[in-house]
Amino acid sequence: MSTSINEIKERNARSYKLILLFAMVSMFMMFAGLTSAFVVSKSRADWVKDFQLPSAFYYSTVAILCCSITFHLAKKAIQKDKRSATTSFLLATFALGIVFVILQFAGFRQIVDSGYFFTGSASSITTTFLYIVTIVHLAHLAGGLISLLIIIYNHFKQKYNSTQTLGIELGAMYWHFLDFLWVYLFLFLYFFK
């Protein structure tokens, strides 16, 4: 009994998606552990009770939500073989990802300008945890930006079309996960004071 090429492609696609899903669950569990440690640390004497998130974090949240939208639109465009629209949406996703990173660092600057520090004797457990959580998220986002560059490169090499969208689908899954993860972290940091 011979297996068709389409069956092999579908099996490979399912395998890649499952591997990515396991990786995302592992990442989420790591962040759940970090936020749990954040909760436990609230009883410490150096906990800052009136700490406010910097305004740049609000704008970065909008940027990453827009990333998910543009990546979704890129996936829909390639499924209809609209190459130029796909290109525009992929490049917009990359640009918005860079804006997100810039705004995160602007947020760090706003925190320091407010008199709070992440390390050293002037730091508090609140700002240290905030820094760790956001830096770890940024590290995962850096992986997303690298994978997005690979997707853009492969798109320019015409490796994607309406019948071959796996790379863009995997990239979109990861970006949606990064989006969900940041919204979870942002809401957690906003409401848990």
Side-chain angles (χ1 to χ4, degrees):
M1 178 192 251
S2 67
T3 307
S4 73
I5 292 175
N6 284 341
E7 288 174 339
I8 292 170
K9 280 184 178 180
E10 286 177 25
R11 197 176 310 142
N12 284 341
R14 280 194 306 271
S15 297
Y16 287 131
K17 288 177 183 178
L18 191 59
I19 290 167
L20 180 58
L21 184 63
F22 282 135
M24 292 186 304
V25 168
S26 298
M27 287 179 237
F28 184 76
M29 291 176 71
M30 179 184 61
F31 281 98
L34 285 171
T35 53
S36 296
F38 193 85
V39 170
V40 170
S41 298
K42 188 175 180 179
S43 62
R44 287 180 46 138
D46 62 345
W47 186 264
V48 180
K49 295 187 183 355
D50 60 344
F51 181 78
Q52 299 295 319
L53 288 176
S55 61
F57 280 17
Y58 293 87
Y59 299 121
S60 69
T61 303
V62 171
I64 202 164
L65 287 170
C66 290
C67 277
S68 271
I69 292 167
T70 55
F71 218 141
H72 176 74
L73 293 172
K75 184 176 89 168
K76 291 296 180 189
I78 198 64
Q79 288 170 342
K80 296 175 182 171
D81 280 324
K82 295 181 177 178
R83 294 196 55 74
S84 64
T86 304
T87 302
S88 298
F89 290 130
L90 288 174
L91 293 174
T93 303
F94 185 78
L96 287 164
I98 296 298
V99 167
F100 176 84
V101 172
I102 291 167
L103 288 169
Q104 293 284 283
F105 282 101
F108 294 154
R109 172 58 39 210
Q110 288 175 338
I111 291 169
V112 171
D113 289 347
S114 297
Y116 297 106
F117 299 93
F118 305 113
T119 60
S121 60
S123 68
S124 72
I125 193 67
T126 312
T127 53
T128 301
F129 261 113
L130 173 80
Y131 183 70
I132 290 169
V133 165
T134 52
I135 286 293
V136 172
H137 182 264
L138 282 171
H140 287 88
L141 190 109
L145 288 170
I146 292 168
S147 67
L148 182 54
L149 283 174
I150 293 167
I151 289 167
I152 291 168
Y153 173 79
N154 286 337
H155 175 64
F156 282 121
K157 289 291 201 175
Q158 299 189 12
K159 292 188 177 184
Y160 304 122
N161 57 50
S162 60
T163 62
Q164 171 52 6
T165 61
L166 182 61
I168 293 177
E169 286 180 49
L170 292 171
M173 278 178 64
Y174 188 66
W175 271 99
H176 295 324
F177 168 73
L178 289 173
D179 180 6
F180 164 78
L181 189 59
W182 175 251
V183 170
Y184 159 74
L185 293 171
F186 178 80
L187 292 174
F188 174 83
L189 295 168
Y190 180 81
F191 287 111
F192 192 83
K193 296 176 182 175

